[in-house]
Amino acid sequence: MERIPILKMGPLLLVTIQVDMHDRLAMTLQDDLTERIVKDRARGVLIDISTLDIVDSFIGRMISNTAAMARVLDAHTVLVGMQPAVAITLVELGLTLHGVQTALNVEKGVQLLQRQIE
Amino acid sequence: MERIPILKMGPLLLVTIQVDMHDRLAMTLQDDLTERIVKDRARGVLIDISTLDIVDSFIGRMISNTAAMARVLDAHTVLVGMQPAVAITLVELGLTLHGVQTALNVEKGVQLLQRQIE
C-alpha cells in the first residue's frame, strides 16, 4: 500500500510529501504520524512540501488538521520548503494554513522546533 | 516535472525515495544530487528507501552509481531504511549494492556519516 515515509531525527519526525495527495493517502499519513508521535515520543514534526507545485484547499486542510492532531499530542509542526509560487497561490486563494508554522527549509525548521521544545 | 526532493541537513543531504523509479527520474536525481553536493558543499548523502517494497537491479545500479558519483565529489553515501523483505530479495537475487554503506535508519545513518566526515 502506498504510504508516505516518516523519518525520525532525534526528537523530531520528518515527512516529505512528494506524491499527489488523495483522501486515503492523507488519512493513512495522519494515522501513521499520530502513531509515530506517540511511539517515538516526538516533540516536533517537519512537513516538507518542496516538490509540490500546487497546494489546494484539500492539502491545506490536511496539513492544518495534521498539525492540530500533533498539537494535542504535544508536538509542534513546521511546514518547510514551500515554493514561491505556492505561497502566492495560497494568499491569492485566501487559503490560510491555520495553526501551522512555516520555515524556509528543513534546517531552519529544525532550528525553530529546537527552540520550541527546549 | 517530477523530481525527488533533496533536503539539506547541515553538511548532509537527505533523499527520500518514495515513487517508482524510472530512467528519466533516476537521471534527474543524479543530476540534481551532484549539483547540490557541489553547491551546498555536502560531505554526506543519506538515501532513504523505507517505502520501497522492491529494489530491483535497476534501482540497485542507480543507487550504486549515485554513490560513486557522490564519492568522486568527496561525499559519502549511506542507504537507510531498507525493509527486511528487500534485504532478503537483494541477497537471494545476488544483487550487491557496490560501494554503498547501509544503516538501519536515518538517525544511525547520520551518526555513521558524522564519524566519517570528521
Side-chain angles (χ1 to χ4, degrees):
Chain A
M1 200 183 76
E2 194 185 21
R3 58 194 334 138
I4 292 173
I6 298 167
L7 306 180
K8 186 172 184 296
M9 302 193 305
L12 309 179
L13 297 176
L14 171 65
V15 180
T16 315
I17 296 177
Q18 50 184 283
V19 290
D20 286 335
M21 273 289 165
H22 49 78
D23 284 37
R24 254 201 40 203
L25 188 58
M27 284 193 57
T28 308
L29 175 62
Q30 289 174 344
D31 283 355
D32 289 353
L33 189 60
T34 45
E35 212 166 277
R36 285 289 297 275
I37 290 171
V38 173
K39 200 180 123 221
D40 294 339
R41 302 177 186 200
R43 299 294 318 281
V45 177
L46 289 152
I47 302 178
D48 176 82
I49 56 165
S50 55
T51 47
L52 294 190
D53 296 319
I54 296 166
V55 170
D56 57 15
S57 60
F58 172 70
I59 296 182
R61 201 167 50 244
M62 190 275 294
I63 291 170
S64 286
N65 287 352
T66 306
M69 291 171 197
R71 197 67 210 94
V72 290
L73 295 171
D74 195 25
H76 297 269
T77 302
V78 177
L79 190 67
V80 299
M82 190 184 291
Q83 291 186 23
V86 171
I88 293 169
T89 316
L90 279 181
V91 172
E92 281 183 350
L93 291 179
L95 294 178
T96 49
L97 296 169
H98 189 72
V100 181
Q101 309 175 89
T102 52
L104 186 64
N105 53 36
V106 173
E107 278 190 301
K108 307 254 183 204
V110 169
Q111 287 166 10
L112 178 62
L113 284 171
Q114 273 170 346
R115 280 199 301 276
Q116 290 176 341
I117 66 180
E118 258 165 16
Chain B
M1 199 182 78
E2 193 186 21
R3 59 196 331 141
I4 293 173
I6 298 167
L7 307 180
K8 187 172 184 297
M9 301 193 305
L12 309 179
L13 297 176
L14 171 66
V15 180
T16 315
I17 297 177
Q18 49 185 283
V19 290
D20 285 334
M21 273 289 165
H22 49 77
D23 284 37
R24 255 202 38 204
L25 188 59
M27 284 192 56
T28 309
L29 175 61
Q30 289 174 343
D31 283 354
D32 289 352
L33 190 60
T34 45
E35 212 166 278
R36 285 290 296 276
I37 289 172
V38 174
K39 199 179 123 219
D40 295 339
R41 302 180 187 198
R43 299 294 318 281
V45 177
L46 289 152
I47 302 179
D48 177 81
I49 56 164
S50 56
T51 46
L52 295 190
D53 295 320
I54 297 165
V55 171
D56 57 15
S57 60
F58 173 70
I59 297 182
R61 202 167 49 243
M62 190 275 295
I63 292 171
S64 286
N65 287 350
T66 307
M69 291 170 197
R71 197 66 210 95
V72 290
L73 295 171
D74 195 25
H76 296 268
T77 301
V78 176
L79 190 68
V80 300
M82 190 184 292
Q83 291 186 23
V86 171
I88 293 168
T89 315
L90 278 182
V91 172
E92 282 182 349
L93 292 179
L95 294 178
T96 49
L97 296 170
H98 190 71
V100 181
Q101 308 175 90
T102 52
L104 187 64
N105 54 35
V106 174
E107 279 190 299
K108 306 254 183 205
V110 169
Q111 287 166 10
L112 178 62
L113 284 171
Q114 273 170 345
R115 280 199 301 274
Q116 291 177 340
I117 66 181
E118 259 167 14

